[in-house]
């Protein structure tokens, strides 16, 4: 063997070995770092959630204005009303942005729960936030997007589907004490999950007198999720819908009308154009398994629907949409 090549090999092998060893040590060190917890951003109600691929999958989540001016916003806790729309005059609007400070952000497309399959549109075209949106939230790229079961059976575009009634965006925390959501000049910290759990339990105990069965709601699943959070986990709740004492007699009709005629046309116009134009009405039970073209969303028939959303008080009775914009 050539002496020079032999010397090259003698030098190269140890260096490569050292570099690999350093890399493994660094990976092991990063893997051994104690977890700083998770931030869960809970979007309860008819939110359009847009992932902007050109901005590293930053998210804009919003609820359009209700033409009837009947929605209200709950922020941080289920009993904390941050604002209401008005039936006369121009309704107020609410804008929030989650700072990246204190978050351990990744890159690339976030993981999305397959439960969103029927209501996740990978190509919605260029997105523009409606100027009069009731609520709009700017968020960094999350690690994971999931929801609170159970999903609601519906007919969408002619097929039986399951529609999640909320979105939960999860972020890894690097410095939990520095995490803030901004509303104008205000910087507001999230709640510990244990505090949000306490608020849910207190509010549910008050609202349990209503004619709703706990076994038919999302409450127990939300309670379990919050109970299993670690002591370092944080939560931010945004809920849009009706107050539990709202006088509307048919909340499901309201939710379907809002989804079909307000949220869907603004969120994914191309999808809406492909669906037959007609009023949404409940379908007969024996029609549920026949393939047919139907307008946007029908609620799948079930006896006396009483499925409440997460807080058991935000009774818009319809979920939202998820989509990716260029």
């Amino acid at each position: 063997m050539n002496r020079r090549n032999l010397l090259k090999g003698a030098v190269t092998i140890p260096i490569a070995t050292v570099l690999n060893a350093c890399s493994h040590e660094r990976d092991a060190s990063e893997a051994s770092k104690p977890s700083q917890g998770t931030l869960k951003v809970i979007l309860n109600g008819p939110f359009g959630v847009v992932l902007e691929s050109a901005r590293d999958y930053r998210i804009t989540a919003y609820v359009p204005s209700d033409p009837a001016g009947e929605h209200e916003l709950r922020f941080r806790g289920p009993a904390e009303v941050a604002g209401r729309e008005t039936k006369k005059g121009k309704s107020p609007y609410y804008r929030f942005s989650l700072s990246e400070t204190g978050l351990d952000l990744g890159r690339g497309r976030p993981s999305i729960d397959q439960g969103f399959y029927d209501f996740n549109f990978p190509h919605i075209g260029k997105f523009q936030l409606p100027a009069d949106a009731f609520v709009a939230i700017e968020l960094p790229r999350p690690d994971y997007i999931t929801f609170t079961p159970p999903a609601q059976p519906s007919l969408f575009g002619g097929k039986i589907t399951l529609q999640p009634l909320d979105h939960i965006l999860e972020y890894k925390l690097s410095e939990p004490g520095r995490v803030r959501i901004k509303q104008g000049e205000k910087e507001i910290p999230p709640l510990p999950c244990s505090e949000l759990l306490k608020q849910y339990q207190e509010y549910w105990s008050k609202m349990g007198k209503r004619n709703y069965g706990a076994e038919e709601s999302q409450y127990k699943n939300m309670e379990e999720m919050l109970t299993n959070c670690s002591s370092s986990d944080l939560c931010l709740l945004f809920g849009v819908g009706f107050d539990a004492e709202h006088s509307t007699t048919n909340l499901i009709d309201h939710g379907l009308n809002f989804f079909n005629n307000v949220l869907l046309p603004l969120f994914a116009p191309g999808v809406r154009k492909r669906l037959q134009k007609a009023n949404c009405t409940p379908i007969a039970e024996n029609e549920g398994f026949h393939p047919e073209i139907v307008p946007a969303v029908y609620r799948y028939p079930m006896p006396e629907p009483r499925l409440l959303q997460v807080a058991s008080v935000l009774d818009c009775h319809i979920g939202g949409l998820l989509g990716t914009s260029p």
Side-chain angles (χ1 to χ4, degrees):
M1 179 181 291
N2 183 283
R3 177 181 174 82
R4 179 174 296 178
N5 289 338
L6 180 61
L7 290 173
K8 284 181 179 178
V11 172
T12 303
I13 292 173
I15 291 175
T17 303
V18 170
L19 289 175
N20 284 335
C22 290
S23 175
H24 290 317
E25 287 176 6
R26 184 173 64 250
D27 292 344
S29 174
E30 290 177 354
S32 63
K33 288 181 180 178
S35 172
Q36 298 299 312
T38 300
L39 170 67
K40 300 177 186 293
V41 179
I42 304 167
L43 307 175
N44 177 214
F47 278 87
V49 178
V50 180
L51 293 83
E52 299 183 63
S53 59
R55 300 176 62 202
D56 196 24
Y57 295 97
R58 288 186 61 85
I59 283 178
T60 299
Y62 73 102
V63 178
S65 295
D66 176 21
E70 294 186 305
H71 284 165
E72 66 178 22
L73 168 66
R74 307 278 175 115
F75 174 49
R76 296 184 82 216
E80 299 184 39
V81 179
R84 294 182 174 89
E85 292 185 300
T86 58
K87 295 184 179 181
K88 295 182 179 180
K90 186 176 181 180
S91 288
Y93 57 85
Y94 299 89
R95 301 290 182 263
F96 301 87
S97 62
L98 178 62
S99 171
E100 296 184 4
T101 304
L103 303 177
D104 182 8
L105 298 176
R107 297 184 62 84
R109 186 176 181 85
S111 298
I112 300 175
D113 194 302
Q114 291 191 353
F116 287 105
Y117 180 83
D118 293 312
F119 291 85
N120 181 11
F121 304 106
H123 306 288
I124 63 171
K126 186 176 180 180
F127 169 74
Q128 181 155 358
L129 178 70
D132 64 343
F134 175 45
V135 178
I137 311 161
E138 295 291 331
L139 300 153
R141 169 208 176 273
D143 295 299
Y144 186 45
I145 302 176
T146 185
F147 66 97
T148 308
Q152 175 64 54
S154 303
L155 279 179
F156 182 68
K159 64 178 182 179
I160 297 174
T161 64
L162 290 172
Q163 183 182 30
L165 296 180
D166 63 13
H167 298 78
I168 300 178
L169 283 55
E170 297 187 354
Y171 298 84
K172 295 177 184 176
L173 295 170
S174 59
E175 298 178 87
R178 299 183 64 192
V179 176
R180 296 291 185 272
I181 187 85
K182 297 180 180 179
Q183 183 185 12
E185 299 298 321
K186 295 187 293 185
E187 295 191 355
I188 305 162
L191 292 175
C193 287
S194 57
E195 175 60 28
L196 184 58
L197 172 62
K198 179 181 177 182
Q199 290 197 29
Y200 269 114
Q201 290 172 333
E202 290 176 352
Y203 206 84
W204 179 261
S205 66
K206 294 178 183 177
M207 301 314 300
K209 297 177 182 179
R210 289 174 57 84
N211 186 26
Y212 291 114
E215 71 283 354
E216 297 172 325
S217 78
Q218 292 178 304
Y219 169 74
K220 285 297 181 183
N221 291 321
M222 174 58 74
E223 183 180 47
E224 181 179 0
M225 186 269 285
L226 293 175
T227 299
N228 292 331
C229 286
S230 73
S231 59
S232 56
D233 288 349
L234 302 175
C235 291
L236 277 168
L237 170 70
F238 294 89
V240 174
F242 288 151
D243 182 271
E245 303 295 338
H246 196 278
S247 60
T248 297
T249 56
N250 197 329
L251 301 173
I252 292 179
D253 281 353
H254 168 85
L256 293 173
N257 181 67
F258 185 83
F259 181 95
N260 289 331
N261 300 317
V262 181
L263 178 60
L264 184 59
L266 288 171
F267 186 85
V271 176
R272 184 67 180 90
K273 289 177 182 178
R274 294 198 299 269
L275 299 171
Q276 178 184 348
K277 292 183 178 180
N279 293 328
C280 287
T281 57
I283 61 173
E285 188 169 355
N286 59 4
E287 293 176 342
F289 295 95
H290 295 290
E292 58 182 324
I293 300 298
V294 298
V297 171
Y298 282 142
R299 184 53 43 91
Y300 188 65
M302 57 178 59
E304 298 182 9
R306 293 177 181 173
L307 183 61
L308 301 183
Q309 296 194 21
V310 176
S312 302
V313 295
L314 308 173
D315 296 337
C316 202
H317 285 274
I318 200 71
L321 292 163
L322 185 66
T324 302
S325 173

